[in-house]
Amino acid sequence: MSQVEKKAGLLRRTSSSKKPLKEKVVLMYDEIFAKEDPAKNNPRFWDELFLMKVNLEYLESKLESVDGEEVQRIQDNINSLFHHCVQALGEEHQIKVVNALQTLCALFRGVHQKNKSASGFDIINMLMGFDKAEQRMKDLMERLDSLLCGDSSESLKSLCLKLLLCLVTVTDNISQNTILEYVMINSIFEAILQILSDVSSRGQHGYDAVVLLALLVNYRKYESVNPYIVKLSIVDDEPTLDGMGVVVHQALTEYNRQYKDKEEENQGGFFSTLTSMVGSMFIADVDEKLSVQTNEAILLALYEAVHLNRNFITVLAQSHPEIDIATTPTTPTPTTPTTPLGTTPPSLDMMNNPELPLDPNLQTSNLLITFLKYASIVIQDTKDEHRLNSARLCLIILTCIAEDQYADAFLHDDNMNFRVNLHRMPMRHRKKAVDKNIPSRPLVCAVLDLMVEFIVTHMMKDFPMDLYLRCVQIIHKLLCYQKKCRIRLHYTWRELWSALINLLKFLLSNETTLLAKHNIFHLALLVVNLFNMFITYGDTFLPTSNSYDELYYEIVRMHQVFDNLYCMVLRVSTNTGQWKEAASKVTHALVNVRAIINHFNPKIESYAAVNHISQLSEEQVLEVVRSNYDTLTLKLQDGLDQFERYSEQPKEAAFFKELVRSISLNVRKNVSLNTLSQDVLLKEFSTIS
Amino acid sequence: MADAEVSLSPALRPLHLSPSHSAQPPPPASSSSPTTFSCPSSPSSASSSSSSSSSSSCSESSSDCPAHHHHHHHHHHHHHHPRPQLQLPPPSHSEQPSSPSASPRSSSPSGSIGSTGSLGSSSASEGIGSSGMSSGGDPRGPSPPLDVISEDAMEMDLGVDQVIDPEVALKACQEVLLKVKLLDNKQQQDDKQQQQQYADVTEPRPTPRPESSSPSSSKQSWLLRLFESKLFDVSMAISYLYKSKEPGVQAYIGNRLFSFPDSEVDFYLPQLLNMYVHMDTEVGDAIRPYLIHRCRGSITFSLLTAWLLGAYSSDMHISTQRHSRGTKLRKLILSDELKPPAPPSDAPRSVFMSPSRRTHQRSKSDATMVSSGPGAGLRRTGSNPKVEAVHEEVRVMFTPERLRPQREFVKSLLCIGKRLATLPTKEQKTQRLISELSLLNHKLPARVWLPTAEHQHHVCRVPHTQAVVLNSKDKAPYIIYVEVLECDSFETSPVPIRIPETRIRSARSAENLDCGAAANANSGGSMTSEHRAGSFSTVPNYDNDDEAWATDDIGQLQVEAEAQTSSSDNISQFSVDSITSLESKEPVFIAAGDIRRRLSENLAHTPTTFRRDPEDPSAVALKEPWEEKVRRIREGSPYGHLPNWRLLSVIVKCGDDLRQELLAYQVLRQLQSIWQQERVPLWIKPYKILVMSSDSGMIEPVLNAVSLHQVRKQSQLSLLDYFLQEHGSFTTEAFLTAQRNFVQSCAGYSLICYLLQVKDRHNGNILLDSEGHIIHIDFGFILSSSPRNLGFETSAFKLTSEFVDVMGGLDGDMFIYYKMLMLQGLIAARKHMEKVLQIVEIMQQGSHLPCFHGSSTIRGLKERFHMSLTEEQLQLLVEQLVDGSMRSITTKLYDSFQYVTNGIM
C-alpha cells in the first residue's frame, strides 16, 4: 500500500515540477517557507490561502525538506500558518474549514516526518511555538469539538475525525506523541460520545470515533492519569454505550460475513482461503489492505470498553437481529440526548420506525455472539503474528467477561438461549459439524465450546502456551461462577474432559521440545486442578448424578495419561532443576486423580475377572464406579475455587504497547489513503457553496 | 348531532369566544330536536329559556374553560332561540351571573381516577362551593332526591344540552311504563319480576305494589321513587337505559350516571359503549356527556373507551363505520383534546394553561427550547438526576400529549406480537421477543402503565429475558413480566428516574473483596478470619478502573451497601470453604460417596420444576411460583430496592378477538358477585380482559397456574397422583384443602360452562393453580358458537373421571358436596338472572360475534336458568347434568381429537 501511495505522490511531484507554471497555492506555500512574513505584502494572504485547494504532497514534502537551520528561520511563519489554520476552522465558509483541516493534517505529518528523532517539545515549538502552544491547542480542540458536535456537514465531521486520527497516529508510539498532552487537557471525549449516541452520526463516523477513542485511551496509559480512561470507565448513558456496541458489532459482523463468503467461495481449498484471507479478509473492495489490523483497532476498543466500563457489559447481551445496521433507515433522532431520560415517550426512533426488519431467517444475535463467532475464526490460525495477537486479545476479552458477575449471569441465563454457529477448523479426523443441529443453549455453552475447540486444534510444535493458559483460566473462572451460584449447566462436560486429557497427553509426548520454551507444569497444574474442581465440587454444579459417574469413568478410562503425567512430574520434582518446584505442585494436585484410579482400577479388573468379561462396556464400568464410591476417600484441596483476577498491568502492558503501535501504524496508513488524497470531499463542498 | 360533536372539540377556546366568533353557523336543527328534554344549560342566565343551539355549541366547550369566560356567549344567544317549552326551575343561585356555569366537572381535579365514588359528590360540592351558591350543603348521596339531581345536572351538565326537568322526566317515565306494558307482555313480566325484587328489598317504604289496574299516578310515583331509591344501582340504570325507548328516561339516566361511583360504572363500560355505538341517537346523547366527562378526568378511561369504541364499531359496515358516532367520539378522544380543565384557583397557572391550542403548542416548543439548554449540559455531565428532575417538571406543566406514551407503549407491544407471528418456531419467537423487549427497555421508565393493574404505577422496566411465548398454533400470544413503581397518580406523579441496568451489579465490589481476600489468603498463607474481615475495608485496588468507579454517585453506593449485606451469605460460605483447610494445617478428607450423594440429593431437592422444553417455553415460566419469580426478578432489577417496586404480568394477544373474552369476563364477574352476595362458596377466577381492537388486546394472567395439559405432559402422572405429589397424602390438611378448592372451583366452572355453553374444553384450556383450583380459560366458543361445528362436546360441562377421582370418587362426600354446590349456585344465579342476561343482551346489539350467531342466543341463555322449575326439579336437573357429563364419551373423544390435531393431551 505504501508503494501505491508513494507512486501517486511521486507522479504528482514530477508532473508538478515539469509544469512551468506553478499552482497558485504552491506559490503561496513557497512564500510561507520564505523568510518574510507572507502577510506583510499581502494582508489578505491567509484569507486567500484557505480558499485555495490544498496541495498536500507539496506542503508535506516542503516541510520534510526543511533542514535544521532553516527551521529556526521559518518557524514564525509555520507558527503563523498553524495559528491561521485554527482560526480558519471557525470560518463560516466551509471550503476554508476543509482546507484548514487538511493543511493541519499536512502540518502535523510533515513536521513529524521531518523530525522523527526530535523530542516532542521541539515539534510543538516548531508548529505552534512554546509560549502559544497551550492556547493554540485549546482553540484547535474547541473548534474541532464544536464542529463535531454542531450541525456541520457530515463530510466535515468526518474530516475532523480524520485529522484527529492523523494527529494521534503521527508517532509510532502513541505515548511519545507529546502533542496529545493537550488533547488530554482539552478533552474531546464528549464529542466522541455524542457521535456514538446518535443513530445517524454513528452510522457515518462511528468506526472512526471508536478507533480514535481506543487510541486515546492508550496514551501513556501506565504512566499518568489519562482522563479518557477515567471518563470511559464512568459512562453510563445507555444509548451511547449501545452505540459503541453497535459499531463494534457491525465491524465484527462484516468480518464474519466476508469470511463466510470467502469460505463458501473456496469450498474445498481451505488453506488457500486462509492465506488469501490474511490479506484481504476484512474491509470491502476499495482498501483491501485495511484488513487484519483494523480489526485489532476495533477489538482493542471492545477490550477497553469491557475492561474499563462496567456498564458496557450489559451491551454485550443487548440483542440485535443479525442485520447490517448501517442500512436501516436512519431518521435523525437527536431527541435522546436533549430530552431527559425517562420522560421521552416511548416512541421516536424505536416505535415509529418499522423497527427491526422482519425476516424469519434472521437469527437474533448480540455483540457477544458475534464476538464469539469472530473469535472462533481468528483463533483458527495463530501462525501469523497479527493473528496470534488477535487471538490473544480475543482471549483476554473473554477473560474479562468470564470474571464479570453480570456477564456471567447472562451467560448462564436459562432464559436466553441461542444457537451459536462457531467456526470449526476442518481436520483430518473429524467431519465438519453440521451447523443446523446445534441446539439452542445458554451462551456459556458457546464459550465452553470455543475453549474446547481451541484446545483440540492447537496441539502443535509451535505451541501457543500463552493462549492455552488463558483458555484454561477462562474455563476455570466459569466453573468458579457455577460453583458459587450453584448453576447446573446442561453441558456435555465429557467433551471438555477428553479435550483436557488429550492436552495432557500432548504435553507429555512433547515434553522435551516444549520444555525448551515453556513451563508446561504450570499449564498441567491448571488442567489437573480443573479436574479437581469437578471431583471435589461436582456436587454443586454438575447437572445430573450420572455426570459425576461419567467423570470417574473418563479418568479411569484414560488412567494411563495421568499415570504417565505423575511419573513425569515425580521425576522432574525429584531432580534438581528449574522445574522442580513447578513439577512438585503437579504431583500434589494429582492426589485425588490417582486415588480414583488406584481405587477403581482393581475393582474393575476384578469385576471383569469374576464375570469373565474381557472388555467391559461403559455401562458395566459405570456400575462398578457407582457401587464403590463409599470406600474412596478424597483430599480437599486448597484454593481450587479461587483465581487471580485479570489485571492489565504489569503482565499485559508490553503486549498492549506493541498492539497499539501496530494499530497506530495501520491507522496512519489508512487515514492518508482514505481521505486526504481524495478530492471527492472538496468537490462536494464546491457544489454546496 | 354531528356538529354538536365537532363543536365540542376545540377544547380551550373560550378566550376567543367573542361575539364575532359565535357568528359561525349555528348547529343544525337536529340538535334542537324536540325530543331533547333538555333545559338550557346555563344557570347563569336569569331567564329560564335558552337556545338549544347555543347550549349545544358553547356548552360543550364550557366544561373546558373557566366559566367566567363563558357566559357572554350565552347572553349573546339567548335572544333568538327561545324555547319556552323547556322549563327550568329558576335556579336559586341565578343572582350570580358570572360563576355558576363552572361545571363541577371542570372544577374537579384531574386525578379523579382511583378516588372512586367520591367524584360525584365531591364535584358537585365543589361546583357549589366554588360558585358560592347558597343552595349548597346538600350532600349528594348515592340516591339523591330528584330535585337535587336536576340541580346538579344543571350545574354539571353544561357539556350537553340535556338536563332533566323533573316534571318532564316524571311524565316521561310514566309514559315509558305504559308503553312498555302495552307493547310487550313478556317484557312487562320481566319488569314485574324486577319490580318484585325491588319491592322486596324496599320493604321499609310503604310503596304500593304497582298493579296493572292501579292508577297511573301511583305507577309514576313508583318509578320515580325507584329512581330515587337507594336501590337504584348501576345495573338497573343500564337496564333502563337499554330497555326504555323514552328519551326522557334515557336522558335522566344519562345524568344519573354521574352520581354512581366510577368503579361501578366502569364495570358496565362495554355495555355503555356498545349502546353508544349501536343504538339510536337518543341513547347516545344521554350517555355522551358522561363519557366526555370521564375522559377528561382520566387517561385510563379515555384509552379504554377509545379502544372499546374501535372494537365495537368494527362490526359495522365500513362506510357507516366511518361516520358513526362511535368512530367520531373515538377520534375526539384520541385527538387528545379532552383535557382535564385547568385548576380554577391558580391564577398564573391557569393563564398558562388556558390559551387556545395553537398557543399551547407554541408554549410546548418553548419548553423544548428551554430544555435544550440544560439538555446539552446533561449530555456533557452524564446522567444528572437534578437536571432530569427539572425537565420532568417542565414536562408536567405543559402536559404535551397525554395519551401518547401509553398508546405508543401498547402499540409497540402489539406490533411485537404481530411480528412474532411471522416467525416459524417457538424458539425463534422467544428469542425475538426477548430482543424486542430489550429495545423497549430503553424507553423506560415512562408515563405508561398496565391497564390490568389495581394500583397506580409507572412501568419502569421489562425484565425481557423472563418473557415467554405462549402455546398457540399460529398466533403468537406472549406473556411479559413488568416491573412497576407504584405511585399516587400515574398522571401527575413524576416519572421515576432511570437507573442503569448495571447498578444492580453491586455484587462486583463484594466479589472483588472476595477474591482480594482470597488472594491475600493464598499468598499470606496464614490469614485468620479476623484479618479477612478487616481486609474488607483495606483491599487495594486491583485495577485503576476501580478508582474510577469510586467516583460514581452516591445512589449506587447505597445500592451496593445494601447488596453487600445481602450477599454476605456468599462470603460466609466462601470463608467456610477455605477456612476449613487453612486453620487446620492437617489435610481435610472427604468421602467420594458423600459428594456423589450430595449431588443426587441436591438434584432431588430442587422443587418440582418443569423441564425446559423448547416446544413449550411457557411451561417452566408459569410453573415457577409467583412469589419466587418476584423475588428473583427483584434481585436482578436495578429498581428492586425501591419500596414501591412491584411485579406485574400481562399476556399480549395479537390477532385474536377478545370481545367475547371480555363478555365472558363480565358474566363471570357478575356471577361471582352474585354467589358472594348469596354466600354460596363457589370459586371462580375471572381474569381481566383489555380489548384494544377487534383483533388485539391484553389478558391478565392467572398466577401460579399451569394447564392440565402441561401438568400431565410434564409430570406424567394422573391428576390425582399429581395432587398427592404436590399437596401431600390423602389425609393431610394440605391435600384436603386443595381438594376442597378443586371441588368448589369445579362446581363454579361447571355452572359457568353450562350457562354460557363454553366449548372447546380441552386440557390446554383448563388451568390448575397451586392451591388446587381449576380455572377455565379461553372463552372463544360460548353461547351460540362451537368449534368448527363438529358434533363433539355435547356434554353440559367437562367432568372427566380424573376429576371425579380427585373429588374422591362418585360416592365420596366431596362429590355430593360438588353437586350440592352446583345446585346452590344455580339457585342463586337464577335469583339474579336479569343481571346476567342484561350483560349479554346489550352486547348482542349490533354485534357479529360468533357467540351471538342465530336468533335464540338470549332465549337459550334464559332457558338455562330454568326459572320455571322448583328447587326439587332443579336438583334433578343438576343430577342429570352431572350424570350426562360423566357418561358423556364426547368429552373424552374431544380430548383425543385435540391430541391428534393440536398435540394437547
Side-chain angles (χ1 to χ4, degrees), chain A residues 283-301:
Chain A
I283 289 293
D285 26 292
V286 197
D287 340 69
E288 281 185 10
K289 305 281 168 68
L290 273 171
S291 68
V292 186
Q293 301 215 331
T294 324
N295 273 324
E296 288 170 348
I298 279 293
L299 267 194
L300 179 67

Side-chain angles (χ1 to χ4, degrees), chain A residues 119-180:
Chain A
S119 77
F121 298 102
D122 291 338
I123 287 173
I124 290 169
N125 198 26
M126 179 166 175
L127 277 174
M128 299 164 254
F130 262 136
D131 45 341
K132 293 164 227 136
E134 201 165 330
Q135 187 58 42
R136 293 282 178 275
M137 281 305 289
K138 183 167 182 278
D139 291 344
L140 173 63
M141 296 314 289
E142 277 171 2
R143 294 257 153 86
L144 288 177
D145 182 89
S146 62
L147 281 171
L148 285 171
C149 295
D151 42 339
S152 48
S153 97
E154 298 302 331
S155 312
L156 212 55
K157 288 186 182 179
S158 163
L159 203 54
C160 286
L161 285 171
K162 301 290 183 197
L163 171 64
L164 285 163
L165 281 174
C166 172
L167 171 61
V168 169
T169 58
V170 277
T171 55
D172 292 355
N173 179 350
I174 191 170
S175 299
Q176 284 170 6
N177 188 349
T178 320
I179 302 179
L180 293 188

Side-chain angles (χ1 to χ4, degrees), chain A residues 145 149 190 194 233-234 236 238 242 307-308 310-311 314 318-319 337-338 340-347 349-352 355-358 360 363-364 403-406 413-419 440 483-484 486 488 535-536 538-539 542-545 548-549 552 626 629-630 632-636 638 641-642 645-647, chain B residues 371 375 378-380 383 388 391-392 395 404-405 408 412 419 422-424 427-428 431-432 434-436 438-440 442-443 445-446 465-466 495 498 500-503 505 507-508 511-512 515 518 522 542-543 545 548-549 551 556 560 570 573-574 577-578 581 587-593 595-600 602-603 612:
Chain A
D145 182 89
C149 295
E190 290 76 13
Q194 196 190 322
S233 66
I234 57 172
D236 63 354
E238 278 169 53
D242 268 355
H307 178 237
L308 292 175
R310 64 190 323 214
N311 299 312
T314 50
Q318 198 79 65
S319 313
T338 46
L341 290 166
T343 57
T344 328
S347 61
D349 53 315
M350 180 184 63
M351 299 184 189
N352 286 349
E355 292 124 27
L356 310 173
L358 251 188
Q363 280 277 333
T364 315
E403 274 181 14
D404 186 284
Q405 276 235 314
Y406 185 87
D413 190 334
D414 226 8
N415 288 306
M416 288 175 71
N417 290 319
F418 292 94
R419 288 176 209 281
S440 196
K483 182 216 158 221
K484 182 176 149 199
R486 317 245 151 178
R488 301 180 186 280
I535 293 167
T536 37
D539 56 329
L542 282 173
T544 61
S545 337
Y548 196 67
D549 308 337
Y552 278 53
R626 268 183 218 118
Y629 276 123
D630 280 332
L632 171 66
T633 307
L634 301 169
K635 190 181 166 225
L636 189 64
D638 265 349
D641 54 349
Q642 288 149 20
R645 285 185 69 84
Y646 170 81
S647 83
Chain B
S371 66
L378 182 74
R379 188 168 61 249
R380 295 270 146 151
S383 55
E388 283 171 28
H391 277 254
E392 172 57 24
R395 217 191 74 94
R404 199 172 75 137
E408 297 287 356
S412 56
R419 281 196 293 274
T422 63
L423 297 173
E427 190 186 308
Q428 274 175 305
Q431 276 183 11
R432 171 57 71 92
I434 288 173
S435 73
E436 296 257 13
S438 75
L439 289 182
L440 195 67
H442 282 270
K443 301 295 170 187
T465 62
Q466 303 305 317
V495 172
R498 183 179 176 83
E501 271 305 287
T502 39
R503 282 294 155 80
R505 300 177 49 226
R508 175 151 176 180
E511 184 195 338
N512 253 335
C515 296
N522 267 349
Y542 284 85
D543 255 342
D545 55 12
W549 293 351
T551 64
Q556 177 180 356
E560 297 203 346
N570 284 335
Q573 178 200 326
F574 163 84
D577 281 350
S578 44
S581 52
V588 177
F589 293 102
I590 36 172
I595 299 175
R596 174 63 164 73
R597 229 180 334 272
R598 269 205 304 274
L599 175 59
S600 38
N602 281 340
L603 287 167
R612 197 157 286 276

Side-chain angles (χ1 to χ4, degrees), chain A residues 306 313 316 368 371 397-404 407-408 411:
Chain A
V306 167
I313 291 291
L316 288 176
L368 188 66
F371 169 69
I397 293 170
L398 274 176
T399 305
C400 292
I401 291 172
E403 274 181 14
D404 186 284
D408 279 329
L411 280 175

